[in-house]
Amino acid sequence: MKQEVSVTMAAKTFKILTLLISISFNSSISAKLILQEKMKKNLRWELKVPKKQVLLEGNQSYFSIKTLNFQLYRELVSDLKKMDLDESYFKKFY
């Protein structure tokens, strides 16, 4: 009898752990790729992507993010559209 209870309990525990792991994994996938931090005199973006996946270029008049990964591009564009962009830093997006 004790052995049956422990097997049932182990199966339930395994199912619960599997569910928790899958939920945490899915929430990390849907996380934002761009985090914006406004400071007194500047704006900081943190890109949560592998360095080899993007090329960052810019100077005083422009800034560009380039990637060959189409899925990553779509996610970056989606995040940019959702963000509250400060017009004192950006005039327009292409």
Side-chain angles (χ1 to χ4, degrees):
M1 187 73 164
K2 287 185 177 182
Q3 191 173 15
E4 290 178 21
V5 172
S6 64
V7 170
T8 306
M9 184 64 93
K12 287 182 181 181
T13 305
F14 180 73
K15 288 179 183 178
I16 291 172
L17 287 175
T18 304
L19 178 65
L20 291 174
I21 290 171
S22 65
I23 289 172
S24 67
F25 180 72
N26 287 336
S27 66
S28 67
I29 289 176
S30 64
K32 286 187 167 187
L33 294 178
I34 302 175
L35 297 177
Q36 180 174 266
E37 184 180 345
K38 294 180 183 179
M39 298 180 178
K40 287 184 179 181
K41 296 184 179 182
N42 63 343
L43 180 71
R44 176 177 289 177
W45 279 1
E46 180 182 344
L47 298 175
K48 294 192 171 199
V49 297
K51 286 184 179 182
K52 294 181 178 183
Q53 291 285 318
V54 294
L55 176 63
L56 306 175
E57 294 179 342
N59 61 25
Q60 293 292 332
S61 62
Y62 81 94
F63 176 76
S64 69
I65 303 172
K66 298 177 182 179
T67 182
L68 295 175
N69 183 336
F70 186 68
Q71 179 65 28
L72 177 61
Y73 168 78
R74 289 178 58 153
E75 290 176 22
L76 286 170
V77 169
S78 174
D79 280 358
L80 283 171
K81 286 181 180 178
K82 292 176 187 174
M83 288 174 61
D84 179 29
L85 299 172
D86 191 344
E87 292 180 8
S88 62
Y89 294 103
F90 304 104
K91 292 182 182 176
K92 58 183 171 179
F93 288 94
Y94 300 101

